[in-house]
Amino acid sequence: MIKEMRNGTAVKRFHTTTRIREETVGHHSCNVALLILRLEPECSKQLLELALKHDLIEQYTGDLPAPFKWTFPDMAEKLSECETLTEGRVGLELPIVSADELGLLKTADTLDCMFSCLEEMRMGNQYARELYIRLMARLQDTPNYGVYESQIETMIQELRSGDQWSTEWQQTTSK
């Protein structure tokens, strides 16, 4: 099981798009867990475990691009069935969480992808723009978007605000 966890976190994401910076499932899973904690600081241990493990199975299935899954929902459903069967066979079973928690996971998962796109755009990658726009539309269609809308907008503004941390650090160190 430790081999599967370590190999799973090394899977490369966004392999079908032009990227400036490489990202792995490990980066993504950690970011998703941190976003969940930001949105719901008192979340369950099971939800955090699910956030950390939700894409480990991609070491066997690959990271099928989200736009493909959106275009072919029947294929996405079949892939999900295959992933569930494989998870059991290799010892990567995922914890069971409530429907609300699953919705929060989906929100955080989408947010992480959006934020990755924003970061890529800030570095000059305009290829990330189209995916960002599509992800924002999907996020706004999720059932729990209204619950987290204010927090989400704050986080988006934090990422878009430029190098606030860098500016504050420079001001602190120049005194």
Side-chain angles (χ1 to χ4, degrees), residues 84-104:
T84 300
L85 285 171
T86 305
E87 287 163 355
R89 289 182 186 152
V90 298
L92 289 174
E93 294 91 355
L94 301 178
I96 297 174
V97 297
S98 71
D100 287 343
E101 290 175 312
L102 204 53
L104 178 55

Side-chain angles (χ1 to χ4, degrees), residues 2-174:
I2 192 70
K3 183 178 120 189
E4 284 78 10
M5 289 189 303
R6 294 191 57 81
N7 288 341
T9 61
V11 171
K12 290 177 182 59
R13 293 174 46 82
F14 299 106
H15 63 282
T16 62
T17 60
T18 301
R19 301 280 296 180
I20 294 171
R21 188 175 56 177
E22 186 176 278
E23 184 176 306
T24 66
V25 166
H27 296 118
H28 167 66
S29 298
C30 180
N31 287 335
V32 169
L34 290 169
L35 285 167
I36 287 170
L37 284 171
R38 172 110 184 232
L39 295 170
E40 288 290 342
E42 302 300 319
C43 68
S44 71
K45 177 185 174 208
Q46 290 81 7
L47 179 56
L48 288 177
E49 181 183 348
L50 181 59
L52 292 170
K53 291 180 169 180
H54 77 281
D55 282 341
L56 291 178
I57 199 64
E58 289 177 358
Q59 66 190 286
Y60 297 102
T61 64
D63 180 20
L64 198 59
F68 179 84
K69 294 177 193 176
W70 302 337
T71 304
F72 301 103
D74 292 346
M75 294 291 288
E77 188 176 322
K78 281 290 185 198
L79 175 63
S80 180
E81 290 172 19
C82 292
E83 288 176 340
T84 300
L85 285 171
T86 305
E87 287 163 355
R89 289 182 186 152
V90 298
L92 289 174
E93 294 91 355
L94 301 178
I96 297 174
V97 297
S98 71
D100 287 343
E101 290 175 312
L102 204 53
L104 178 55
L105 174 72
K106 187 65 179 163
T107 297
D109 190 52
T110 303
L111 277 174
D112 180 56
C113 191
M114 285 174 52
F115 293 168
S116 180
C117 289
L118 274 177
E119 291 162 351
E120 284 283 311
M121 289 187 296
R122 286 194 63 214
M123 291 185 284
N125 183 353
Q126 293 307 307
Y127 293 105
R129 182 175 171 71
E130 181 182 337
L131 181 56
Y132 175 83
I133 291 167
R134 291 181 73 184
L135 287 162
M136 180 55 112
R138 291 188 72 79
L139 180 66
Q140 290 171 339
D141 286 341
T142 60
N144 62 359
Y145 178 72
V147 174
Y148 303 111
E149 183 176 3
S150 174
Q151 290 171 280
I152 290 168
E153 286 301 316
T154 298
M155 289 187 277
I156 290 171
Q157 290 310 312
E158 287 175 25
L159 284 172
R160 286 186 171 165
S161 67
D163 296 325
Q164 182 179 354
W165 177 85
S166 177
T167 303
E168 290 171 2
W169 181 81
Q170 287 174 347
Q171 289 171 349
T172 304
T173 58
S174 66

